[in-house]
Structures are given as C-alpha cells and as structure tokens.
C-alpha cells in the first residue's frame, strides 16, 4: 500500500501475475500431469496421444491408439519422436567436435548480442511519476515548468560571514524569514 502511482501499478500487476501463476499451477499443471500419467500407463504416444497408423503410417508394427499390432511385442512401448530427438539425435549431433563448436558459437553470438543490446538500452525516467498527486512537490514542479520550462538552471547564493556565536546555524531563524521577491 503506497501513494506512489507507478509503484502501486507495478505491485498490482505483479500481484495479479503471481496469483494467475499459482492458479495455473494448481489447476492446469496438475490436470496435464495426470493426463500424461494416464497416457503413459496406456502406452500411448506422447506428442499426439492417439494417431491412427495404417500400413503406410508413422510407426509400422508399433502400437497405435493403445492397441497392439499383431506379430509384435507389446511389452515395450514404442520410441516416440520426441524421445528420438532428445535421447538419440540431439546428443549424437551436439557431442561431436563440430557440434560443440556450433553450440559454443551460438552461445558466444547470443552473449555478444546481449552485450550490444545492453549498451543501447535507454532510460525513460521522470521523478514526477513517483510523486503522489497531493504532494507539495507538485507545486514546485509547476513553478519550475512555468518559469524555467523544465530546464534546470544552476545558480548560487553568496553571503558574507554571519557574526555571532554559531555562524549560520545560530542565525537560522533570521535566514528562515528571508523570502524571494
């Protein structure tokens, strides 16, 4: 709970994101995990859970839609396409010397791209965004915009030494009475 408008909007947006993430994890994720376990127990394919394969289909002689094909061993589930990619093809490509060079080149390229992108990031920041609407600073901003058109003009005040005990600190009551004409 804050009076800063930008911070309040960010907190509200983040709270909604966390809430929806939690809701999705306790509903959709659990439902899909249960569905996947049922699919595995039924020995169905993983990517497309029920493709019907004919003689010219994807997996000749493999179980389709959970049914065993005559003349095959139905005890071992078929190797799915995603299994072949993740466990057979990808390691055979990336664990070779040329594969390692390609992976390192892609990683170095992404690092270089990230560094170039980080150097060209601009900041669009205005302190007024964090100032509450009822703050006295709003009147200071209005005077600044009216007389200085938003530009900061450097200035200095030169005074002589204040006589007496305490210097400027001792004379602060008198300094507080000064006004700008």
């Amino acid at each position: 709970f804050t009076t800063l408008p930008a911070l309040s909007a960010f907190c509200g947006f983040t709270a909604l994101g966390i809430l929806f993430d939690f809701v999705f994890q306790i509903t959709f994720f659990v439902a899909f995990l249960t569905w996947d376990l049922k699919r595995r127990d039924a020995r169905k394919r993983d990517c497309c859970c029920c493709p019907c394969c004919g003689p010219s289909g994807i997996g000749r002689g493999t179980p389709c839609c959970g049914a065993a094909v005559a003349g095959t061993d139905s005890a071992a589930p078929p190797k799915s396409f995603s299994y072949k990619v993740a466990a057979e093809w990808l390691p055979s490509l990336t664990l070779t010397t040329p594969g390692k060079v390609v992976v390192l080149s892609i990683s170095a390229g992404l690092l270089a791209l990230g560094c170039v992108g980080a150097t060209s990031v601009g900041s669009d920041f205005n302190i007024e965004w964090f100032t509450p609407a009822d703050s006295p600073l709003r009147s200071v901003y209005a005077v600044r915009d009216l007389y200085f058109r938003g530009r900061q003009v450097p200035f200095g005040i030169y005074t002589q030494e204040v006589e007496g005990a305490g210097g400027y600190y001792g004379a602060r009551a008198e300094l507080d009475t000064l006004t700008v004409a």
Side-chain angles (χ1 to χ4, degrees), residues 5-86:
L7 186 59
S8 177
F10 173 75
C11 290
F13 179 76
T14 306
L16 279 175
I18 291 172
L19 175 71
F20 278 106
D21 182 37
F22 176 70
V23 168
F24 287 147
Q25 284 188 18
I26 63 172
T27 57
F28 290 113
F29 181 73
V30 174
F32 281 110
L33 190 62
T34 305
W35 185 41
D36 185 54
L37 288 175
K38 288 180 181 179
R39 178 205 51 84
R40 285 181 54 200
D41 289 343
R43 298 181 188 271
K44 292 184 179 178
R45 296 181 184 276
D46 60 347
C47 191
C48 299
C49 61
C50 192
C52 295
C53 306
S56 63
I58 296 171
R60 292 184 204 153
T62 60
C64 294
C65 297
V69 176
T72 61
D73 180 19
S74 64
K79 291 182 180 178
S80 65
F81 177 72
S82 60
Y83 175 82
K84 288 179 184 176
V85 168

Side-chain angles (χ1 to χ4, degrees), residues 151-169:
R151 290 176 292 207
Q152 296 179 357
V153 178
F155 68 94
I157 299 175
Y158 300 96
T159 62
Q160 60 186 2
E161 279 295 320
V162 176
E163 297 178 10
Y168 285 110
Y169 184 75

Side-chain angles (χ1 to χ4, degrees), residues 3-5 127-138 141:
T3 59
L4 301 177
I127 192 66
E128 294 178 30
W129 297 338
F130 292 99
T131 306
D134 58 347
S135 173
L137 282 175
R138 292 291 179 170
Y141 296 149

